[in-house]
């Protein structure tokens, strides 16, 4: 047997032994019934209420968004046909980039094939531009940001999560003349907490650092037009790069960065993760453009997700369930052990027709395993009550230590 096969076998066996082996659950999304999906087992279809979708506003099933995608498919076909530099660009791409730049109050924006790719490509490209970069990365940054940082020979400083004092200490200890980049997120998707963006910008100004903010779990939701936490807090203009996604609040697919024209043009012209990748197809671009334009004007829809999240938090708290405290729309329920987390999730699906994804290591630290709940404007009180009743039937006695 080739040594690589031995590594595969041993690694998979260890993942299974730890109770964190992941399997896919094949769910059929229903555009007219979201967040109710269907699952088929043994030839029998069954309705399932999904609580783990990142389509936070339900825009992926909005009639305007679907119509835009259908019209683009009929007029422009299914595929992009190549990279943006070959045959894969259109007026739709330009219009979406202009819309996103305007959303964030920036001069320009650039589309990527996913939020992961936009982080990996943009961060690594920035850090490859000069020698002796020092990058300051929040301890809970997403894997895509870490991949971008590791893709360049920068000196890396990991500061304690959302800790301004630790960040300042590390900035102060770095060489004063070294180029510096602070990379962080606005809403952290597993804990649901929010970063002190203004405070980080203050430190960036004091120590001459650039700022790179990942807003993927906030765009479409926060701020007067859905520009993210940086728009809500009135600090978007202080950030060098804002990175976002079209796959969550906007319900479609793709990632992007926004910044000043020269910076964006530099990344467009030098980032291999952009240059050598087939562009987003026109169907997706048209859908995303329709979604962004709708969300910016639909304040009630954006307000509804926060109202729904607060309702769910209240129901969980009144039931005495071990909810992790959050200030965002994300509602984690602590389980604390990988195998048990998988068991609770599976029982919810099998016994109660509820789908809530188990979040285990390495996504979260060992011992902090959880169910991550994401209520949308389309989740009803009855759905919430069914979820709470199901969790109460499983968790109280077994979770007393964790609660």
């Amino acid at each position: 047997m080739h040594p690589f096969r031995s590594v595969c076998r041993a690694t998979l066996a260890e993942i299974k032994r730890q109770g964190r082996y992941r399997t896919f659950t094949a769910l059929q999304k229903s555009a007219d019934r979201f967040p109710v999906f269907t699952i088929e087992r043994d030839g029998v279809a069954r309705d399932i209420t999904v609580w783990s979708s990142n389509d936070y506003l339900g825009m992926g099933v909005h009639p305007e968004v679907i119509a835009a995608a259908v019209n683009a498919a009929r007029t422009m076909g299914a595929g992009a046909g190549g990279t943006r530099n070959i045959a894969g660009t259109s007026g739709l791409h330009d219009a979406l980039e202009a819309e996103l730049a305007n959303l964030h109050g920036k001069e320009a924006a650039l589309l990527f094939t996913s939020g992961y790719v936009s982080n990996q490509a943009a961060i690594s490209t920035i850090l490859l531009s000069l020698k002796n970069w020092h990058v300051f990365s929040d301890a809970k940054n997403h894997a895509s940001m870490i991949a971008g940082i590791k893709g360049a020979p920068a000196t890396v400083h990991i500061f304690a999560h959302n800790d301004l004092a630790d960040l300042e200490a590390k900035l102060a200890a770095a060489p004063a003349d070294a180029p510096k980049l602070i990379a962080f997120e606005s809403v952290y998707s597993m804990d649901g907490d929010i970063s002190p963006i203004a405070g980080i910008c203050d430190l960036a100004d004091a120590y001459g650092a650039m700022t790179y903010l990942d807003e993927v779990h906030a765009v479409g939701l926060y701020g007067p037009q859905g520009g993210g936490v940086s728009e809500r807090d009135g600090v978007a203009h202080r950030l060098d790069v804002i990175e976002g996604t079209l796959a969550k609040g906007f319900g479609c697919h793709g990632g992007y960065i926004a910044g000043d024209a020269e910076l964006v043009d530099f990344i467009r012209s030098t980032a291999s993760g952009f240059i050598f990748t087939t562009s987003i197809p026109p169907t997706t671009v048209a859908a995303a453009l329709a979604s962004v334009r709708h969300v910016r004007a639909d304040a009630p829809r954006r307000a509804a997700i926060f109202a729904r999240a607060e309702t769910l938090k209240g129901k969980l708290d009144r039931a005495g369930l071990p909810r992790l405290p959050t200030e965002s729309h994300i509602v984690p329920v602590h389980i604390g052990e990988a195998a048990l987390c998988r068991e609770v999730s599976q029982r919810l699906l099998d016994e109660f027709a509820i789908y809530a994804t188990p979040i285990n290591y390495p996504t979260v630290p060992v011992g902090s395993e959880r169910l991550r709940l994401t209520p949308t404007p389309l989740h009803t009180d009855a759905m919430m009550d069914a979820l709470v009743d199901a969790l109460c039937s499983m968790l109280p006695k077994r979770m007393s230590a964790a609660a």
Side-chain angles (χ1 to χ4, degrees):
M1 184 190 308
H2 193 282
F4 173 69
R5 301 298 181 185
S6 298
V7 170
C8 290
R9 184 171 298 176
T11 301
L12 291 171
E14 178 60 17
I15 291 172
K16 291 176 181 178
R17 186 194 68 79
Q18 294 176 7
R20 59 184 184 89
Y21 182 74
R22 304 182 186 197
T23 58
F24 299 139
T25 302
L27 297 170
Q28 180 67 43
K29 190 174 184 177
S30 301
D32 58 345
R33 303 177 67 207
F34 182 87
V36 176
F37 290 48
T38 57
I39 187 171
E40 185 173 321
R41 288 180 173 173
D42 300 322
V44 178
R46 184 185 184 203
D47 286 348
I48 302 292
T49 302
V50 171
W51 282 96
S52 297
S53 173
N54 284 338
D55 187 356
Y56 293 134
L57 296 174
M59 289 304 297
V61 298
H62 194 284
E64 291 178 18
V65 176
I66 295 171
V70 170
N71 183 63
R74 286 174 176 161
T75 58
M76 303 177 69
T83 67
R84 293 284 293 278
N85 290 313
I86 296 177
T89 197
S90 70
L92 282 173
H93 292 80
D94 296 337
L96 179 54
E97 287 173 339
E99 189 76 25
L100 292 167
N102 183 267
L103 173 67
H104 294 292
K106 298 298 185 184
E107 294 177 346
L110 186 66
L111 293 170
F112 290 83
T113 51
S114 73
Y116 189 105
V117 173
S118 57
N119 270 338
Q120 184 179 36
I123 292 174
S124 63
T125 299
I126 291 169
L127 296 178
L128 286 168
S129 64
L130 293 167
K131 294 181 179 179
N132 303 319
W133 272 101
H134 283 246
V135 59
F136 301 82
S137 177
D138 188 284
K140 292 191 176 181
N141 274 345
H142 190 263
S144 59
M145 302 179 79
I146 296 169
I149 292 168
K150 288 183 175 180
T155 300
V156 181
H157 309 270
I158 300 174
F159 63 93
H161 179 54
N162 282 347
D163 190 325
L164 292 176
D166 189 49
L167 173 58
E168 181 166 22
K170 288 177 167 56
L171 284 164
D177 58 349
K180 302 175 182 67
L181 177 72
I182 304 173
F184 62 110
E185 301 180 38
S186 57
V187 176
Y188 287 85
S189 64
M190 292 301 128
D191 293 334
D193 54 346
I194 296 176
S195 64
I197 302 175
I200 291 174
C201 288
D202 290 343
L203 292 176
D205 291 344
Y207 290 92
M210 287 180 59
T211 48
Y212 185 105
L213 175 64
D214 177 320
E215 286 260 42
V216 296
H217 290 277
V219 290
L221 282 67
Y222 296 77
Q225 297 186 77
V229 178
S230 58
E231 186 197 20
R232 183 198 71 177
D233 294 352
V235 294
H237 65 285
R238 302 183 64 187
L239 296 154
D240 292 291
V241 181
I242 295 176
E243 185 267 349
T245 184
L246 302 166
K248 295 180 171 63
F250 298 123
C252 297
H253 186 78
Y256 65 89
I257 61 164
D260 68 61
E262 188 174 56
L263 182 151
V264 171
D265 196 28
F266 171 77
I267 293 174
R268 182 189 69 84
S269 301
T270 62
S272 62
F274 172 81
I275 295 170
F276 299 106
T277 301
T278 298
S279 69
I280 303 175
T283 50
T284 303
V285 177
L289 180 58
S291 181
V292 175
R293 287 174 172 170
H294 181 95
V295 166
R296 293 183 72 176
D298 193 350
R301 193 180 194 93
R302 288 184 279 108
I305 187 175
F306 297 104
R308 292 282 75 199
E310 290 307 308
T311 297
L312 178 60
K313 291 174 185 178
K315 289 178 180 292
L316 292 167
D317 291 346
R318 286 190 292 275
L321 291 165
R323 176 181 71 86
L324 298 176
T326 71
E327 53 184 316
S328 71
H329 61 286
I330 295 168
V331 185
V333 174
H334 182 266
I335 304 297
E337 195 272 315
L340 178 58
C341 195
R342 289 182 64 248
E343 177 192 336
V344 170
S345 176
Q346 192 63 51
R347 286 188 61 194
L348 282 173
L349 183 63
D350 294 341
E351 299 174 26
F352 301 96
I354 292 170
Y355 182 75
T357 308
I359 305 296
N360 293 335
Y361 176 85
T363 307
V364 295
V366 173
S368 66
E369 292 82 2
R370 67 201 61 181
L371 301 177
R372 176 179 175 272
L373 308 177
T374 54
T376 74
L378 303 176
H379 281 90
T380 65
D381 280 3
M383 291 174 178
M384 293 183 185
D385 291 338
L387 171 66
V388 170
D389 289 345
L391 290 173
C392 284
S393 73
M394 288 185 279
L395 297 186
K397 294 181 179 179
R398 304 185 71 172
M399 297 302 301
S400 58

